[in-house]
């Protein structure tokens, strides 16, 4: 038979919505990969995944009814073991052949070939290709075993005795090769050509599929189901945009919500609803969160991004009169919004400052004390950072903001919606009459919360955010709670990247070492000093981030080898290294620098530092001495002014005297005075060349 498209569908009860997208992708990908590995489908065979609340499926293009036979050559054993001295098969060889389904008649056809240092016998045979029924059965079993099921259910089959384990009870299996049913079974189900459509709106209870290619169209026309996850998602987006545009508004942008809603419906129908305008007095973040998290609605925003009293819902049915659906959802959302308004009103009856003492009763970490103690540490670190910036007013503001920053943890709103911590603190700080700078800092001190998130809006927020993240990092590293592998329960990698972003993107004149040193004393005797481990941790995070931004591993290693503490300067150093590497002299100087470094590493005791003019015996070493004296002042002046590119460019003039030095001067001279002088000269050269980066890392 010629190759035809294959359709597989597993019909189940409603699948977990947050897992559906991944389940659909893995079901389709794993099943197709298994068929390809068995030779039943081409390596580049197209696949179309299907995933809806009640089905997982895939269509694989060009699947063969039977895989091609494969010629295989199998090593048997060394000739010395397989044959006697007169060439007759030994019992060991005959036993091996019998295990493979052959006998002594196969001996003349065996081939000899060298296998390492010994000659061995090999058996050529043909392995029949798998039939589609065999291959699909194997593929289905592999696929179900590998599915990333969040929680397995155990249920009984109709016989009342047999237990089956799967993500949800399965009720139907379709396997069509073209128009032919493939005889496979799984989860107590035998494959057929019948499936079911929409639970309420399908034209018929059972849909008999014509062939593999008619599946998607039949599901839409007879089953009222858009089976493809991507197609259904695109249809929801189209309807959301159209409904919002008709009102001059725009729906909130939330990919996770969109994926979840796509996993909840099979026949999406977007409807517009509204709520009472009085609820708009509640911070819009609260209303948006309760509508998204609890009701899966899409709030509508005006052109300025402000919440309106309208929202969109994605229904799974399309009644002629949708008023009952709209009215029901408007009634359901009202108590949710009323709760949010109640929390907001109640919370404002107490100031943030009055809640601070209550943080002493909230455990932060068993080894690091309460949230109240943590607040005191954050305040101390914030004051120290502001002092390093030389701004007394900033220190006072940062101290106040740090005092109030965690107080909203004790509010009803944050108790109900932990995602709003910091945000609600900002609202309550304004209500309490705190200056706007303080309110912004309270709101922003968790930022950046994730990759790509915005940074704190003002200097007070930056200082408190740095203090908060450093307190977390220093404290947890100090008690040995380091991230391991993919486990990072305290999000320490994210905290480190946040510190790096603030230092780099705001070009703060702060050294990483001084920041860590400012944070450690706040813990007293609670922790062991984690400074060295934290320096390594920050360097790893920074290195990974820079490589993602397009810098080469060599460039990053060269700069970070010097452990620069002003992270705001790192990119300038990298750009300078890249410009230097493009110079014709770069390769030779990098190689020479590596050689110098190796020589200096072998020096026993203290490295000589004074170069005595009277001991410059060779013309080449005097030429190098003069060149360093000429180049170093200019290079240093450019370095001190922040022109790292210019500083490295000056070093190009050293290539010729460096090459001449190594060609004609013996560094390890017999005369101790000469040797010490030459080592001192190389020490000066090494220092001059490696202020911006360790150039030896650029050597091939």
């Amino acid at each position: 038979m010629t190759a035809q498209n294959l359709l597989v569908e597993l019909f189940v009860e409603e699948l977990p919505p947050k897992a559906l997208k991944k389940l659909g992708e893995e079901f389709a990908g794993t099943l197709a990969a298994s068929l390809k590995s068995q030779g039943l489908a081409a390596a580049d065979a197209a696949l179309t995944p299907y995933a809806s609340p009640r089905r997982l499926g895939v269509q694989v293009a060009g699947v063969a009814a039977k895989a091609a036979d494969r010629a295989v050559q199998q090593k048997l054993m060394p000739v010395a073991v397989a044959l006697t001295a007169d060439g007759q098969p030994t019992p060991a060889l005959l036993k091996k052949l019998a295990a493979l389904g052959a006998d002594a008649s196969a001996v003349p056809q065996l081939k000899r070939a060298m296998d390492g240092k010994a000659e061995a016998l090999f058996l050529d045979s043909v392995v029949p290709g798998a039939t589609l029924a065999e291959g699909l059965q194997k593929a289905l079993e592999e696929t179900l075993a590998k599915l990333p099921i969040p929680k397995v259910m155990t249920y009984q089959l109709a016989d009342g005795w047999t237990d089956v384990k799967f993500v949800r009870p399965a009720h139907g299996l379709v396997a069509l090769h073209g128009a032919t049913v493939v005889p496979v079974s799984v989860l107590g189900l035998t494959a057929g050509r019948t499936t079911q459509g929409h639970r309420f709106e399908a034209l018929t209870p059972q849909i008999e599929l014509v062939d593999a290619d008619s599946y998607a169209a039949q599901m839409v026309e007879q089953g009222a189901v858009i089976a493809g996850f991507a197609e259904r998602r695109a249809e929801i987006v189209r309807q959301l945009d159209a409904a919002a545009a008709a009102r001059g508004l725009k729906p909130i942008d939330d990919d996770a919500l969109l994926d979840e809603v796509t996993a909840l419906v099979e026949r999406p129908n977007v409807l517009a609803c509204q709520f009472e305008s009085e609820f708009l007095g509640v911070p819009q973040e609260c209303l948006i969160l309760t509508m998204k998290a609890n009701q899966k609605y899409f709030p509508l925003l005006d052109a300025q991004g402000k919440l309106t009293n309208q929202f969109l819902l994605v229904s799974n049915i399309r009644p002629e009169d949708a008023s009952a659906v709209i009215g029901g959802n408007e009634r359901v959302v009202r108590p949710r919004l009323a709760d949010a308004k109640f929390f907001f009103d109640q919370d404002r009856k107490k100031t943030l400052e009055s809640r601070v003492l209550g943080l002493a009763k909230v455990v932060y970490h068993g080894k690091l004390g309460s949230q109240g103690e943590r607040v005191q540490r954050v305040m101390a670190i914030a004051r120290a950072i502001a002092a390093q910036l030389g701004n007394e007013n900033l220190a006072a503001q940062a101290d106040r903001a740090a005092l109030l920053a965690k107080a909203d943890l004790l509010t009803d709103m944050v108790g109900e919606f932990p995602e709003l911590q910091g945000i609600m603190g900002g609202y309550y700080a304004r209500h309490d009459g705190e200056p706007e700078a303080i309110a912004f800092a309270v709101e922003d001190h968790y930022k950046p919360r994730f990759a790509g998130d915005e940074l704190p809006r003002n200097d007070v927020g930056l200082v408190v955010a740095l203090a908060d993240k450093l307190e977390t990092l220093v404290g947890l590293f100090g008690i040995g709670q380091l991230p391991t592998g993919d486990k990072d329960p305290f999000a320490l990698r994210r905290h480190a990247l946040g510190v790096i972003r603030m230092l780099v993107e705001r070009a703060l004149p702060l050294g990483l070492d001084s920041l860590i040193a400012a944070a450690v004393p706040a813990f007293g005797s609670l922790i062991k000093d984690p400074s060295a481990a934290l320096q390594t941790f920050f360097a790893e995070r920074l290195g990974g981030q820079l490589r993602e931004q397009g810098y080469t591993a060599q460039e990053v290693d060269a700069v970070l080898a010097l452990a620069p503490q002003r992270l705001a300067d790192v990119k300038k150093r990298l750009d300078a290294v890249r410009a230097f590497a493009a110079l014709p002299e770069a390769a030779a100087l990098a190689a020479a620098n590596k050689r110098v470094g190796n020589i200096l590493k072998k020096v026993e005791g203290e490295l000589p530092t004074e170069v005595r003019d009277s001991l410059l015996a060779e013309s080449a070493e005097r030429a190098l001495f003069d060149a360093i004296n000429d180049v170093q002042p200019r290079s240093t002046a450019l370095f001190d002014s922040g022109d790292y590119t210019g500083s490295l460019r000056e070093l190009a003039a050293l290539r010729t005297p460096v090459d001449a030095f190594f060609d004609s001067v013996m560094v390890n001279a017999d005369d101790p005075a000469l040797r010490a002088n030459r080592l001192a000269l190389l020490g000066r050269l090494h220092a001059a060349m490696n202020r911006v980066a360790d150039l030896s890392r650029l050597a091939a």
Side-chain angles (χ1 to χ4, degrees):
M1 292 177 63
T2 57
Q4 299 184 74
N5 293 343
L6 172 72
L7 171 76
V8 177
E9 185 212 61
L10 189 62
F11 181 74
V12 297
E13 294 182 15
E14 278 74 5
L15 293 161
K18 291 186 178 180
L20 179 63
K21 184 178 181 182
K22 185 70 173 175
L23 285 171
E25 292 170 350
E26 291 297 320
F27 182 88
T30 306
L31 190 141
S34 180
L35 294 175
K36 292 175 182 180
S37 69
Q38 296 178 71
L40 289 163
D44 59 350
L47 67 147
T48 306
Y50 297 106
S52 81
R54 298 205 296 160
R55 70 202 74 242
L56 295 172
V58 62
Q59 184 191 71
V60 185
V63 175
K66 182 178 181 298
D69 296 342
R70 293 182 296 115
V72 297
Q73 186 177 74
Q74 185 171 359
K75 177 188 171 183
L76 299 177
M77 59 186 65
V79 171
V81 177
L83 301 176
T84 63
D86 58 356
Q88 296 303 307
T90 63
L93 176 60
L94 293 175
K95 184 177 180 181
K96 180 71 172 178
L97 289 172
L100 297 173
D103 54 27
S105 64
V107 174
Q109 282 76 46
L110 299 181
K111 292 184 178 179
R112 296 188 180 208
M114 293 303 296
D115 181 48
K117 295 182 179 180
E119 189 177 26
L121 287 183
F122 292 84
L123 173 66
D124 287 337
S125 61
V126 175
V127 177
T131 64
L132 179 55
E134 297 167 343
L136 182 56
Q137 183 67 45
K138 179 182 177 183
L140 272 170
E141 291 170 359
E142 288 180 357
T143 298
L144 297 188
K146 293 179 179 178
L147 278 182
I149 297 174
K151 191 173 183 180
V152 175
M153 283 185 66
T154 300
Y155 60 95
Q156 287 185 332
L157 298 181
D159 62 14
W161 295 97
T162 309
D163 284 345
V164 175
K165 293 184 178 181
F166 193 51
V167 58
R168 292 291 186 272
H171 297 293
L173 177 64
V174 171
L176 289 177
H177 186 230
T180 304
V181 174
V182 184
V184 293
S185 61
V186 71
L187 301 177
L189 303 169
T190 300
R193 65 187 325 116
T194 304
T195 187
Q196 297 180 38
H198 195 284
R199 190 180 287 278
F200 308 112
E201 300 191 347
L203 294 181
T204 59
Q206 301 288 324
I207 300 170
E208 186 168 330
L209 299 173
V210 176
D211 56 33
D213 293 335
S214 69
Y215 174 72
Q218 281 189 263
M219 292 308 297
V220 171
E221 295 164 7
Q222 299 175 34
V225 169
I226 302 174
F229 190 95
E231 292 78 5
R232 201 164 59 257
R233 190 180 194 273
E235 174 62 16
I236 292 172
V237 170
R238 185 192 68 77
Q239 292 188 38
L240 287 172
D241 289 343
R247 292 159 179 78
L249 304 172
K250 59 182 180 180
I252 196 160
D253 185 16
D254 189 323
D255 284 340
L257 176 62
L258 189 55
D259 285 342
E260 187 174 359
V261 169
T262 302
L264 287 168
V265 300
E266 292 194 310
R267 192 187 194 194
N269 180 30
V270 171
L271 302 172
C273 307
Q274 61 182 11
F275 57 84
E276 290 79 0
S277 298
E278 65 184 80
F279 291 119
L280 293 176
V282 179
Q284 70 175 41
E285 293 89 348
C286 307
L287 303 181
I288 289 171
L289 185 57
T290 192
M291 284 192 282
K292 291 195 316 180
N294 295 322
Q295 303 303 132
K296 315 305 175 189
Y297 296 154
F298 288 84
L300 289 176
L301 311 177
D302 63 19
Q304 287 72 46
K306 186 177 180 181
L307 180 67
T308 68
N309 69 325
Q310 300 182 63
F311 62 92
L312 300 177
L313 70 93
V314 182
S315 173
N316 194 35
I317 55 176
R318 298 185 182 182
E320 291 184 8
D321 181 4
S323 59
V325 178
I326 294 171
N329 280 275
E330 290 178 344
R331 283 195 302 275
V332 167
V333 78
R334 195 172 295 118
R336 297 286 189 181
L337 302 182
D339 285 347
K341 185 176 186 302
F342 175 77
F343 293 148
F344 186 55
D345 291 340
Q346 289 297 112
D347 287 343
R348 288 181 296 171
K349 292 179 181 180
K350 291 179 65 177
T351 65
L352 283 180
E353 187 171 12
S354 70
R355 298 178 186 271
V356 172
L357 288 177
L359 292 172
K361 300 178 182 178
V362 180
V363 175
Y364 167 54
H365 190 285
K367 295 182 179 180
L368 295 174
S370 67
Q371 286 285 2
E373 291 170 300
R374 186 183 183 205
V375 165
Q376 294 301 315
R377 292 194 293 266
V378 174
M379 291 171 65
I381 298 168
R383 289 193 299 269
I385 294 172
Q388 290 182 23
L389 292 170
N391 189 327
E392 292 183 7
N393 183 51
L394 177 60
Q397 290 180 304
D399 186 68
R400 178 68 178 173
L403 173 69
L404 302 176
K406 304 295 181 186
D408 67 352
L409 295 175
L410 297 178
T411 62
D412 291 338
M413 188 71 81
V414 173
E416 181 72 15
F417 300 111
E419 302 94 328
L420 296 177
Q421 56 189 285
I423 294 171
M424 295 314 302
Y427 280 108
Y428 297 145
R430 291 184 187 90
H431 178 265
D432 295 346
E434 297 290 341
E436 194 70 4
I438 303 295
F440 274 138
V442 171
E443 179 180 346
D444 291 350
H445 83 280
Y446 289 106
K447 294 178 181 178
R449 297 172 185 255
F450 51 85
D453 190 19
E454 62 183 13
L455 299 182
R457 285 164 282 189
N458 60 27
D459 289 345
V460 184
L462 274 175
V463 169
V464 179
L466 281 170
D468 183 63
K469 288 172 173 55
L470 285 166
E471 192 278 338
T472 301
L473 288 161
V474 170
L476 291 167
F477 264 71
I479 60 172
Q481 294 277 358
L482 281 65
T484 56
D486 60 349
K487 295 181 180 179
D488 187 8
F490 298 101
L492 299 184
R493 295 184 180 97
R494 177 167 56 80
H495 282 300
L497 288 171
V499 172
I500 290 169
R501 278 193 60 198
M502 285 186 277
L503 293 176
V504 171
E505 295 178 28
R506 292 297 170 85
L508 295 178
L510 298 169
L512 185 59
D513 52 355
S514 63
L515 287 174
I516 296 172
V520 171
F523 290 86
S525 60
L526 284 177
I527 64 170
K528 295 180 179 179
D529 189 345
S531 299
L534 270 176
Q535 284 280 1
T536 302
F537 187 67
F538 273 107
E540 290 170 351
R541 305 281 80 70
L542 179 59
Q545 185 183 69
L546 293 170
R547 285 188 288 272
E548 288 176 2
Q549 293 172 4
Y551 293 102
T552 67
Q554 272 190 324
E555 292 166 346
V556 172
D557 288 346
V559 171
L560 296 189
L562 300 186
Q565 297 303 309
R566 289 284 183 92
L567 302 192
D569 288 346
V570 167
K571 286 190 177 181
K572 287 172 62 178
R573 290 174 183 253
L574 283 164
D575 292 337
V577 167
R578 180 167 289 183
F580 172 78
L583 297 175
E585 299 87 355
L589 283 173
N593 189 47
K594 185 174 183 179
R595 184 175 179 182
V596 170
N598 290 335
I599 292 171
L600 296 180
K601 285 178 187 176
K602 296 176 182 177
V603 175
E604 296 180 0
E606 190 174 342
L607 180 69
T609 57
E610 182 185 358
V611 181
R612 295 168 59 186
D613 185 277
S614 61
L615 292 176
L616 297 172
E618 303 284 347
S619 59
E621 60 184 321
R622 177 166 293 281
L624 178 58
F625 178 69
D626 292 341
I628 293 173
N629 286 337
D630 179 51
V631 168
Q632 191 169 26
R634 297 197 304 272
S635 178
T636 299
L638 290 167
F639 177 88
D640 292 341
S641 71
D643 184 358
Y644 300 138
T645 301
S647 179
L648 286 181
R649 191 185 301 116
E650 288 293 329
L651 300 180
L654 295 174
R655 177 186 175 176
T656 299
V658 167
D659 287 347
F661 178 87
F662 282 116
D663 286 342
S664 57
V665 177
M666 174 67 70
V667 176
N668 290 319
D670 294 333
D671 185 336
L674 281 178
R675 182 168 63 250
N677 205 56
R678 288 167 182 173
L679 288 172
L681 180 61
L682 291 183
R684 279 195 60 189
L685 174 65
H686 194 260
M689 293 180 69
N690 293 292
R691 296 197 69 188
V692 176
D694 181 355
L695 299 184
S696 68
R697 303 297 179 102
L698 302 179

